[in-house]
Amino acid sequence: MKTKRRINRKEVNIILAKYHIVISNPNNGIPKYTISEQGTIDVDGDVVIKHSNLKRLPLKFGSIYGDFNCSGLGLISLKASPNYVSGSFICKENELTSLKYGPQSVGVNYDCSQNHLETLDGCAKVVGRNLICNNNNLVNLKGSPEIIQGYFNCKMNKLTSLAGSPNELYGRFHVSYNRLNNFEGSPQKIWGEIYATSNFLNNLKGLSTDFEGTLFLDASAKSINTGLFDYRSMRIELRLTNKFGYNFMPSQILDNHRHIDVILKYQRHYNIWIELDNQDELDKDNFKILIEDIEDGLL
């Protein structure tokens, strides 16, 4: 059986020059890379591809011990991407509709923002720090890694569900400028901040009870009803308007925003929400009693 000929160093150097692929070398000598038995290119250092209007990567990479940057090239596929990147993998500002063939382990940041992704399927199973996928067409977060140790930026997508979120998130969770109605499917454990302005939130149901941090909302949210659960370790930062003009938060809540954390703490016990077909209406009489008690010293 005829075996496929392995690429040689001269051919690699020609491709590096032709496509403006820069391999960093701290010693300013010959770029330090090796050709594996499988014909993949392993690099001890950073890789930056500067050629414009590339549809596919011109070399098959293996392991990168540094950063790998293939952003702004016009890529329609990640085929030939490295399997492992010890630093950051950056493929933003391309024409990608899928993360298939991308690396499965990234040591620092994975940035696939400003593409045309409808799913995160194919995303690295291990991301050491931050996952950045804003400005895509995502409708859910299926394909996310199980744990994210830094921030998860998925704002400016088309998210109608947080299904597929990581189980654990230890940084900021950016879901603003989406189409969320609630927090069903959110990470089971969140230590950090959640930015959820400019959505279509009917309520806060589905938010993990193991959330410690601040939730940023604006007047586009219709209620702050958390359903059956109290959130003693959560704060709310409420912006009084929405930049797009669709303000649905009851005026009584907005007028008493200075008490928002105490309202959040006791709202369930005062039954301030009337729930009808997943739409919450403020019970003004019960809310008035709660505010009176707060002004009388309820903490």
Side-chain angles (χ1 to χ4, degrees):
M1 182 178 177
K2 188 175 181 180
T3 59
K4 185 177 180 180
R5 183 180 68 83
R6 188 173 60 163
I7 193 171
N8 61 46
R9 198 170 188 87
K10 180 179 179 181
E11 292 169 325
V12 170
N13 289 338
I14 290 173
I15 293 173
L16 292 178
K18 179 179 179 180
Y19 293 100
H20 308 289
I21 302 175
V22 178
I23 297 178
S24 70
N25 186 344
N27 298 319
N28 295 320
I30 298 173
K32 192 172 182 181
Y33 68 83
T34 58
I35 303 172
S36 72
E37 291 294 327
Q38 293 75 35
T40 60
I41 311 303
D42 298 334
V43 179
D44 186 9
D46 299 335
V47 175
V48 179
I49 305 174
K50 298 184 176 181
H51 193 286
S52 61
N53 199 28
L54 271 180
K55 299 299 182 185
R56 292 177 175 80
L57 297 175
L59 280 174
K60 177 66 178 87
F61 292 92
S63 296
I64 307 296
Y65 297 94
D67 297 336
F68 188 91
N69 189 336
C70 58
S71 60
L73 302 178
L75 295 177
I76 62 172
S77 171
L78 290 179
K79 196 166 186 177
S81 290
N83 296 316
Y84 168 79
V85 178
S86 70
S88 294
F89 178 73
I90 307 167
C91 61
K92 65 181 181 179
E93 299 172 4
N94 280 295
E95 303 296 328
L96 298 171
T97 58
S98 170
L99 297 178
K100 186 179 180 181
Y101 305 116
Q104 291 304 295
S105 180
V106 173
V108 186
N109 302 326
Y110 191 118
D111 187 349
C112 56
S113 60
Q114 301 181 63
N115 278 284
H116 307 293
L117 302 172
E118 296 182 0
T119 177
L120 290 177
D121 287 340
C123 183
K125 300 302 181 186
V126 176
V127 175
R129 194 168 300 168
N130 305 315
L131 178 56
I132 308 160
C133 56
N134 56 280
N135 294 83
N136 277 288
N137 297 318
L138 300 174
V139 296
N140 59 51
L141 298 177
K142 293 179 181 178
S144 301
E146 292 292 310
I147 299 174
I148 294 181
Q149 299 284 354
Y151 64 77
F152 188 9
N153 185 351
C154 44
K155 66 182 181 181
M156 295 184 180
N157 275 282
K158 298 178 180 178
L159 294 175
T160 58
S161 169
L162 295 178
S165 292
N167 287 331
E168 300 177 20
L169 176 59
Y170 297 93
R172 295 176 178 176
F173 192 23
H174 293 268
V175 294
S176 295
Y177 304 102
N178 278 289
R179 303 173 182 179
L180 297 172
N181 295 131
N182 55 45
F183 287 96
E184 294 293 340
S186 68
Q188 296 177 16
K189 186 179 189 68
I190 306 176
W191 286 2
E193 299 167 336
I194 301 176
Y195 292 81
T197 59
S198 298
N199 276 283
F200 298 95
L201 291 167
N202 291 325
N203 50 56
L204 310 186
K205 294 176 183 178
L207 190 64
S208 171
T209 55
D210 198 356
F211 170 45
E212 298 184 22
T214 301
L215 173 63
F216 290 83
L217 296 174
D218 61 14
S220 64
K222 296 179 180 179
S223 88
I224 59 169
N225 183 12
T226 56
L228 300 175
F229 301 103
D230 293 324
Y231 289 81
R232 303 282 172 155
S233 299
M234 181 177 80
R235 293 187 61 253
I236 288 182
E237 189 78 24
L238 181 62
R239 299 172 185 171
L240 302 185
T241 60
N242 174 269
K243 66 180 296 185
F244 296 118
Y246 49 93
N247 297 330
F248 301 121
M249 183 71 72
S251 60
Q252 292 85 353
I253 297 285
L254 297 177
D255 292 342
N256 290 278
H257 68 277
R258 65 190 181 279
H259 300 310
I260 193 69
D261 289 329
V262 186
I263 295 170
L264 176 72
K265 185 176 179 180
Y266 291 104
Q267 61 179 344
R268 187 169 70 88
H269 303 283
Y270 280 74
N271 295 317
I272 70 171
W273 298 107
I274 302 170
E275 301 178 25
L276 295 171
D277 298 326
N278 204 34
Q279 299 291 327
D280 298 331
E281 181 179 336
L282 187 68
D283 187 313
K284 297 177 183 178
D285 292 334
N286 286 349
F287 182 74
K288 183 179 179 181
I289 295 171
L290 172 57
I291 294 301
E292 290 174 350
D293 286 352
I294 290 173
E295 292 178 346
D296 284 341
L298 181 67
L299 296 175

